[in-house]
């Protein structure tokens, strides 16, 4: 029951609700929306979505998982939003973002936007919010997102015992009510996309007076405002009629209903008590039962994420390129995605999710199923002993990995076992503590839609999610070079070169890419699934 | 009698301390870092871990932590969950719902179980006896979650008679089906227990005497037979109410009832000592009070039992 909310911050971390009205129309034809119900659209209807209890307080800089972000992202609007199947960035609250060198950004914001308490959104609301999120004593979960702003190390020293010298980053300068300037530590061309992430939302002045009280009754600048919250039961939001953004909602009340069990939520959906669930329980996926259960009410999208199996370099015997290649070529991805995962995933062929600008098919040349070649390479590797793949076993994590193990076993004739961890928390403590004794599941979902977000956090030396403890100076150098390249297309090309190098080293094996299969009730006329696995609220139409 | 009750109530105090300490130790001993899974595929920022560690006194040793917890508990503060909810409030929300559910389950157990038990016990072998025997065997062999899910899917999704999940603050009506699922197992036990007890006592000397005295059958059964036969059943019912209050995790999960079971489950999963200890303390107290009430009822039912 817990897996989908804890599975990955990357899955849920992200920006505000983003699709524009015009885009909703195109999205309907683009496969991310589903329609099919008759009945008149009710602009004052209620939309009830499946929810899980937020893991942290409802503040943008402290929310990184789906349970909380379902509410937080509807309540806040960032400078940049993302729209469409490929999550194209567009200026949401930003009037303009200009930079001469990708290091100093001049940001002008739109005038006349209001917080839900009636105060106007000004440049200082952004600066204050970012400073709050970065300041070490505030202990905010998303603090790393501000780390490339100049002066971050002054408010958040590396040494945990050191006292921060100040609570304001020198790289943030308010230039007026509607303009501020951001200076980064080093050029970073993806910054314009990155500020679409939830953590970069503005906070009203009232927040800073009493953050604790604010968390119980958040006030944002987004399309929906807070009404009430009962822990473990529901979070209720309602439409903010003064909202100026493109992603206004076309229903009135949003009810995020918290469930202990996905299965129950699914039964509620089938009996039209619940309007949307963004993930289907294993029992519905088994034997593709969901297809007959849901028919027209199936909603598909494309999640920007990638599933890989990490092969840690620190495990004895695993630092062996031939072994890596042999394992990768021994996994029959097509067969497993079809029979075990019931078409909810597609085989992966690279390190970047399909749909991200810069994605190229077939980057991972060793990701093709080739038993003969795999056997030869395995013989050359000289590996002796048993292979293992570890992961938390809940929420349908186990079955595909057991299948992968069987595929490896059948092709290479080597023992392969799935090693379960009790829960996601224990699993992550094994990985981050570098205590894996074999391979491990390593899934990633984008915080913001950029090729950079698929490389820097995972394959750079010492990166926060570098589960394999991979280190290649050439990759590091290319990534730094790409970060500093102002021209976006040129930057993407350099990121691709880095990806090519990673694909040669195989620090982790790309296995599958999740499509995203959701379900809606018959009362819901249209709803899209966004790239972070949430209902795209702006596309929702409910019937009477 | 009053002295007995007082003594029993005083016994609650050491049990309270012992139980809280044990539970606190157990939750504390659950391996793993409570914050390791909080930040998805990346490690949590150190500043966040430091703040939470300090806030929840996780760096102190067990004894200090426990006394800090106890100190705030005595001032009426049940503590906080990691996501900033007040545990007292959570329990306050969940407790009435669980109590309602448990009462319904016990009521269903008592009424149906006792009736079936008395009828079969009195009549002895026959069609009814076989029917009860088969159906109770069936119920006993079914795990609660099977019963619950079958009821939910058949009555809810397929037939549409009930809602597949209950509302935010369910009333007694909504809880009847979950109550049946929850109580089904114990209901079967009670039917059997009652049947055996009645069948045994039916041939007891005092029943023969009562019949010989020429008392009407209804009085023999209602007063003499039932009153004496019901003692083991009552023990079972009393402890069952306690068990149901904490053991409803599965049923609560299936029907999405926001009760104590789910609260304790989430608490263990998140390694939140405050939540788990809070709920368990409550359950321990309920258990103790229930057993006290049951003991007192013995005296009412059986004049041979005296507490002095």
């Amino acid at each position: 029951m817990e897996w989908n909310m804890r599975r990955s911050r990357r899955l849920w971390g992200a920006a505000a609700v983003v699709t524009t009205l015009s885009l909703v129309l195109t999205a309907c034809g683009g496969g991310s929306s589903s329609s099919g119900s008759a009945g008149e659209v009710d602009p004052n209807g209620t939309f009830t979505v499946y929810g899980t209890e937020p893991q942290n307080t409802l503040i943008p800089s402290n929310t990184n998982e789906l349970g909380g972000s379902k509410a937080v992202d509807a309540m806040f609007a960032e400078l940049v939003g993302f729209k469409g199947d490929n999550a194209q960035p567009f200026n949401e609250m930003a009037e303009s973002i200009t930079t001469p060198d990708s290091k100093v950004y001049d940001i002008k914001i739109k005038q006349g936007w209001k917080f839900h308490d009636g105060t106007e959104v000004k440049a200082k609301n952004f600066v204050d919010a970012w400073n709050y999120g970065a300041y070490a004593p505030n202990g905010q979960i998303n603090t790393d997102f501000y780390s490339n702003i100049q002066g971050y190390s002054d408010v958040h020293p590396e040494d945990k015992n050191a006292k921060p010298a100040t609570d304001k980053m020198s790289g943030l300068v308010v230039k007026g009510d509607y303009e501020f300037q951001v200076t980064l530590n080093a050029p970073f061309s993806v910054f314009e996309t990155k500020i679409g992430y939830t953590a970069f939302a503005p906070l009203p002045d009232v927040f800073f007076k009493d953050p604790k009280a604010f968390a119980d009754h958040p006030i944002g600048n987004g399309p929906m405002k807070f009404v009430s919250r009962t822990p473990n039961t529901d979070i209720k939001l309602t439409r903010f009629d003064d909202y100026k953004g493109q992603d206004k909602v076309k229903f009135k009340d949003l009810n995020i209903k918290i469930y202990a069990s996905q299965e129950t939520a699914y039964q509620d959906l089938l009996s039209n008590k619940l309007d949307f669930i963004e993930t289907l329980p294993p029992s519905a996926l088994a034997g593709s039962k969901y297809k007959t259960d849901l028919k027209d009410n199936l909603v598909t999208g494309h999640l920007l994420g990638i599933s890989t199996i990490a092969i840690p370099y620190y495990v004895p015997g695993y630092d062996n390129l031939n072994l890596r290649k042999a394992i990768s070529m021994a996994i029959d991805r097509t067969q497993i995605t079809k029979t075990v995962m019931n078409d909810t995933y597609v085989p992966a062929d690279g390190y970047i999710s399909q749909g991200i600008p810069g994605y190229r098919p077939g980057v991972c040349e060793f990701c093709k199923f080739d038993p003969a070649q795999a056997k030869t390479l395995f013989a050359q590797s000289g590996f002796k002993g048993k292979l293992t793949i570890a992961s938390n076993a809940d929420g349908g994590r186990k079955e595909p990995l057991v299948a992968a193990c069987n595929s490896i076993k059948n092709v290479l004739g080597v023992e392969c076992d799935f090693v379960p961890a009790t829960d996601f928390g224990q699993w992550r403590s094994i990985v981050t503590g570098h205590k894996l004794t074999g391979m491990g599941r390593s899934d990633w979902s984008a915080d913001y839609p950029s090729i950079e977000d698929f490389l820097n956090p995972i394959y750079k030396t010492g990166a926060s999610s570098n589960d394999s403890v991979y280190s290649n100076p050439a990759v590091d150098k290319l990534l730094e070079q790409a970060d500093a390249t102002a021209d976006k297309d040129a930057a993407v090309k350099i990121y691709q070169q880095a990806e090519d190098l990673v694909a040669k080293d195989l620090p982790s094996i790309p296995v599958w890419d999740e499509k995203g299969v959701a379900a809606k009730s018959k009362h819901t006329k249209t709803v899209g699934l966004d790239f972070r696995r949430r209902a795209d609220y702006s596309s929702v139409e409910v019937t009477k | 009698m009053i002295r007995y009750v007082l003594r029993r109530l005083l016994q609650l105090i050491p049990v309270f301390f012992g139980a809280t300490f044990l539970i606190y130790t157990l939750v504390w001993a659950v391996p793993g870092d409570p914050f390791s899974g909080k930040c998805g595929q990346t490690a949590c920022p150190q500043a966040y871990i430091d703040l939470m560690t300090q806030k929840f006194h996780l760096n102190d040793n067990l004894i200090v932590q426990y006394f800090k917890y106890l100190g705030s508990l005595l001032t009426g503060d049940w503590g906080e969950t990691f996501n900033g909810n007040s545990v007292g409030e959570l329990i306050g929300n969940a407790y009435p719902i669980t109590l309602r559910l448990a009462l319904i389950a016990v009521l269903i157990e008592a009424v149906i179980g006792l009736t079936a038990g008395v009828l079969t016990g009195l009549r002895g072998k026959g069609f009814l006896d076989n029917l009860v025997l088969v159906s109770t065997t069936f119920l006993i062999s079914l795990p609660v979650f099977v019963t619950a899910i079958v009821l939910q899917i058949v009555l809810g999704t397929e037939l549409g008679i009930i809602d597949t999940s209950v509302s935010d603050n369910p009333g007694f009506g909504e809880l009847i089906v979950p109550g049946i699922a929850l109580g089904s197992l114990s209901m079967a036990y009670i039917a059997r227990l009652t049947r055996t007890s009645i069948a045994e006592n039916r041939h007891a000397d005092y029943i023969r005497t009562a019949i010989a005295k020429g008392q009407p059958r209804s009085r023999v059964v209602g007063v003499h037979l039932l009153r004496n036969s019901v003692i083991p059943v009552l023990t079972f019912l009393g402890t069952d109410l306690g068990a149901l209050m904490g053991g409803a995790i599965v049923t609560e999960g299936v029907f999405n009832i926001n009760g104590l079971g789910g609260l304790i489950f989430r608490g263990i999963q998140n390694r939140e000592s405050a939540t788990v200890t809070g709920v368990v303390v409550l359950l321990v107290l309920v258990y103790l009070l229930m057993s006290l009430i049951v003991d007192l009822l013995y005296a009412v039912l059986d004049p041979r039992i005296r507490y002095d």
Side-chain angles (χ1 to χ4, degrees):
Chain A
M1 86 176 216
E2 280 280 318
W3 68 275
N4 76 314
M5 72 183 192
R6 308 178 115 210
R7 187 177 145 213
S8 153
R9 77 183 275 216
R10 299 283 151 177
L11 271 179
W12 331 118
V17 180
V18 284
T19 309
T20 62
L21 286 177
S22 63
L23 194 98
V24 172
L25 299 173
T26 41
C28 288
S32 80
S33 284
S34 164
S35 57
S37 305
E40 208 182 317
V41 173
D42 183 5
N44 290 319
T46 300
F47 185 57
T48 309
V49 296
Y50 166 78
T52 46
E53 180 67 9
Q55 297 276 296
N56 297 292
T57 48
L58 296 178
I59 298 172
S61 53
N62 213 23
T63 296
N64 64 2
E65 42 80 49
L66 190 61
S69 78
K70 274 177 190 169
V72 169
D73 281 344
M75 288 190 283
F76 289 89
E78 291 78 11
L79 293 163
V80 170
F82 306 109
K83 63 184 174 190
D85 277 359
N86 294 344
Q88 276 294 321
F90 70 97
N91 282 352
E92 174 99 65
M93 257 217 82
E95 181 70 48
S96 67
I97 303 172
T98 47
T99 176
D101 52 3
S102 293
K103 187 169 190 285
V104 181
Y105 286 83
D106 193 61
I107 299 170
K108 291 197 177 73
I109 62 167
K110 286 174 185 156
Q111 304 189 9
W113 280 54
K114 293 233 161 61
F115 283 110
H116 304 151
D117 63 354
T119 55
E120 197 179 2
V121 186
K122 294 184 175 165
K124 75 169 167 50
N125 294 109
F126 284 95
V127 170
D128 291 348
W130 298 5
N131 276 327
Y132 180 88
Y135 187 53
N138 292 333
Q140 298 292 292
I141 272 191
N142 288 331
T143 185
D144 284 347
F145 281 89
Y146 314 100
S147 61
N148 56 355
I149 297 173
Q150 201 171 68
Y152 178 79
S153 57
D154 297 330
V155 299
H156 201 125
E158 288 253 344
D159 176 12
K160 63 178 269 192
N161 296 320
K163 277 243 154 59
T166 165
D167 59 359
K168 295 196 170 39
M169 291 184 278
S170 58
L172 297 177
V173 181
V174 179
K175 301 276 237 173
D177 275 356
Y178 306 103
E179 186 181 357
F180 67 107
Q181 195 183 56
V182 184
T183 309
L184 304 180
N185 287 326
F188 183 55
S189 57
V190 187
F191 190 68
E192 281 174 56
T193 308
K194 188 176 175 177
I195 49 177
Y197 181 71
T198 319
F200 293 95
L203 287 168
D205 297 343
V206 63
F207 167 81
F208 302 95
K209 291 191 190 108
D210 189 353
K212 173 90 178 104
F214 182 91
D216 293 337
H217 195 296
I219 295 162
N221 61 333
M224 307 215 76
K225 62 182 178 187
F226 183 84
V227 177
S228 68
R229 172 180 179 194
T230 314
N232 297 332
T233 306
D234 59 20
I235 303 172
K236 290 193 163 108
L237 307 180
T238 189
R239 184 171 55 208
F240 176 51
D241 290 319
D242 264 354
Y243 184 63
K244 297 282 190 297
Q246 304 174 342
D247 53 342
K248 290 192 174 88
V249 291
K250 290 170 276 180
F251 57 94
K252 189 155 187 290
D253 296 307
L254 176 68
N255 186 3
I256 302 169
K257 195 165 179 238
I258 292 166
Y259 284 89
S261 142
Q262 263 180 27
E263 307 281 345
T264 306
Y266 185 67
Q267 295 304 330
D268 269 4
L269 184 112
L270 292 182
S271 42
N272 295 299
K273 268 193 79 183
L274 180 74
D275 292 324
F276 185 81
I277 178 167
E278 73 279 354
T279 177
L280 304 180
S283 68
L285 294 175
S288 295
K289 184 172 170 292
Y290 68 95
K291 289 180 185 163
T292 47
D293 280 351
L294 294 166
K295 300 188 185 78
D296 285 350
N297 292 322
L298 187 68
V299 179
T300 55
H302 183 82
L303 307 177
L304 298 182
I306 189 96
S307 301
T308 68
I309 297 174
I311 311 181
Y313 285 88
Y314 58 82
V315 177
Y318 279 39
D319 186 4
N320 182 326
L321 189 58
N322 281 335
L323 176 70
R324 289 163 186 277
K325 287 181 189 166
I327 293 171
S328 181
M329 295 172 101
I331 300 173
D332 190 349
R333 295 167 177 76
T334 317
Q335 172 80 10
I336 295 171
T337 48
K338 206 169 278 165
T339 56
V340 181
M341 300 160 116
N342 300 298
D343 294 328
T344 54
Y345 284 73
V346 290
D349 57 358
Y351 289 87
I352 315 297
S353 178
Q354 294 170 22
I356 291 272
Y359 164 80
R360 295 160 296 159
V363 168
C364 173
E365 57 173 313
F366 306 109
C367 289
K368 289 185 199 78
F369 180 56
D370 187 343
Q373 182 76 3
K375 258 181 235 160
T376 319
L377 286 165
F378 185 69
Q380 286 168 9
S381 77
F383 180 83
K384 293 272 178 305
K386 192 169 84 172
L387 294 170
T388 55
I389 304 178
S391 166
N392 54 320
D394 49 349
R397 293 278 156 267
K398 176 182 171 186
E399 292 75 11
L401 293 176
V402 169
C405 237
N406 286 336
S407 187
I408 294 169
K409 200 189 298 182
N410 292 340
V411 171
L412 303 180
V414 62
E415 275 298 301
C416 183
D417 280 341
F418 174 77
V419 183
T422 52
D423 60 19
F424 184 73
Q426 194 222 349
W427 162 239
R428 285 311 299 174
S429 67
I430 293 172
V431 176
T432 49
H434 299 164
K435 292 194 182 88
L436 278 171
T437 53
M439 293 180 277
R441 177 175 74 87
S442 182
D443 293 354
W444 182 259
S445 284
D447 296 309
Y448 44 91
S450 164
I451 182 171
E452 180 269 337
D453 195 37
F454 281 83
L455 296 168
N456 267 333
I458 317 173
Y459 301 109
K460 212 172 190 172
T461 304
S464 55
S465 298
N466 190 337
D467 292 350
S468 305
V469 197
Y470 171 64
S471 173
N472 182 344
V475 171
D476 293 350
K477 205 165 150 245
L478 280 170
L479 288 175
E480 264 161 43
Q481 197 190 330
D483 288 349
T485 304
D487 181 70
K488 278 178 203 148
D489 295 332
V492 166
K493 290 216 164 62
I494 308 174
Y495 284 123
Q496 287 176 338
Q497 290 173 23
E499 189 197 359
D500 288 338
L501 288 188
V502 171
K504 285 200 171 66
D505 290 341
L506 284 174
S508 64
I509 300 169
V511 276
W512 22 79
D513 192 348
E514 190 172 1
K515 282 203 275 192
V517 180
K520 70 177 186 65
S521 70
K522 70 173 185 206
H523 301 308
T524 312
K525 194 169 178 203
T526 52
V527 58
L529 182 69
D530 76 4
F531 76 96
R532 293 147 313 204
R533 203 200 291 272
R534 289 178 313 210
D536 178 354
Y537 298 134
S538 68
S539 72
V540 172
E541 286 183 319
V542 292
T543 55
K544 278 181 180 154
Chain B
M1 184 75 160
I2 291 174
R3 274 187 56 196
Y4 173 77
V5 174
L6 273 180
R7 207 172 65 224
R8 286 285 297 262
L9 287 176
L10 280 177
Q11 281 173 3
L12 292 184
I13 295 168
V15 174
F16 169 82
F17 283 107
T20 47
F21 184 72
L22 268 178
I23 298 300
Y24 206 94
T25 317
L26 288 175
V27 180
W28 185 80
V30 172
D33 166 9
F35 306 114
S36 59
K38 283 255 187 281
C39 299
Q41 297 291 119
T42 53
C44 280
Q46 191 58 42
Y48 166 78
I49 296 173
D50 290 347
L51 185 79
M52 296 300 268
T53 306
Q54 192 202 353
K55 191 172 166 194
F56 290 93
H57 315 300
L58 300 178
N59 258 354
D60 297 333
N61 70 45
L62 175 63
I63 307 288
V64 177
Q65 268 190 56
Y66 172 68
F67 279 105
K68 277 184 180 164
Y69 172 75
L70 216 57
S72 56
L73 194 65
L74 292 178
T75 61
D77 177 11
W78 292 73
E80 238 181 41
T81 60
F82 289 144
N83 63 355
N85 293 325
S86 142
V87 174
E89 199 181 303
L90 288 176
I91 294 178
N93 286 342
Y95 193 72
I97 300 173
T98 301
L99 190 67
R100 251 172 267 162
L101 180 65
L103 281 177
I104 287 174
V106 167
L107 211 67
I108 289 169
E109 283 171 22
V111 172
I112 303 181
L114 271 176
T115 315
V118 170
L119 287 179
T120 52
L122 288 178
R123 290 200 191 164
K125 295 209 184 314
F127 170 73
L128 189 70
D129 193 36
N130 286 334
L131 180 75
V132 171
L133 181 73
V134 169
S135 53
T136 51
T137 312
F138 180 69
L139 281 181
I140 288 172
S141 63
L142 280 184
V144 173
F145 77 88
V146 175
T147 323
I149 290 177
V150 166
L151 284 175
Q152 181 195 34
I153 293 183
V154 173
L155 296 182
T157 316
E158 303 290 334
L159 298 176
I161 300 170
I162 58 157
D163 283 335
T164 40
S165 69
V166 304
S167 62
D168 295 352
N169 198 358
F172 282 99
E174 276 181 278
L175 292 172
I176 290 177
V177 174
I180 292 175
L182 184 60
S184 60
L185 188 65
S186 300
M187 182 173 83
Y189 282 127
I190 286 180
R192 298 218 144 170
L193 207 59
T194 316
R195 181 192 172 278
T196 319
S197 194
I198 295 254
E200 258 173 29
N201 288 339
R202 211 152 56 113
H203 304 294
D205 293 344
Y206 64 88
I207 295 293
R208 203 175 49 204
T209 314
I211 295 172
K213 277 197 299 185
Q215 292 206 338
R217 183 175 157 82
S218 62
R219 192 169 162 80
V220 174
V221 173
V223 176
H224 297 278
L225 182 57
L226 210 56
R227 201 165 140 177
N228 285 288
S229 305
V230 91
I231 287 181
V233 179
L234 200 69
T235 317
F236 184 86
L237 270 178
T239 47
D240 204 40
L241 183 64
L244 288 181
M245 304 257 353
I249 297 178
V250 174
T251 317
E252 285 185 3
V254 171
F255 293 98
N256 204 40
I257 300 167
N258 178 22
L260 290 181
L263 199 59
I264 208 168
F265 181 70
R266 271 184 284 252
I268 294 171
Q269 231 171 14
N270 291 339
R271 297 172 178 87
E272 291 178 335
S273 322
T275 316
V276 180
T277 318
V279 179
V280 173
V281 166
L282 204 69
L283 294 178
V284 168
L285 292 179
V286 169
Y287 233 101
L288 292 172
L289 286 175
M290 281 317 298
S291 62
L292 176 59
I293 292 171
V294 168
D295 284 351
L296 293 177
L297 277 177
Y298 285 166
V300 176
L301 291 169
D302 188 342
R304 285 170 299 182
I305 301 174
R306 288 274 179 276
Y307 299 116
D308 284 318

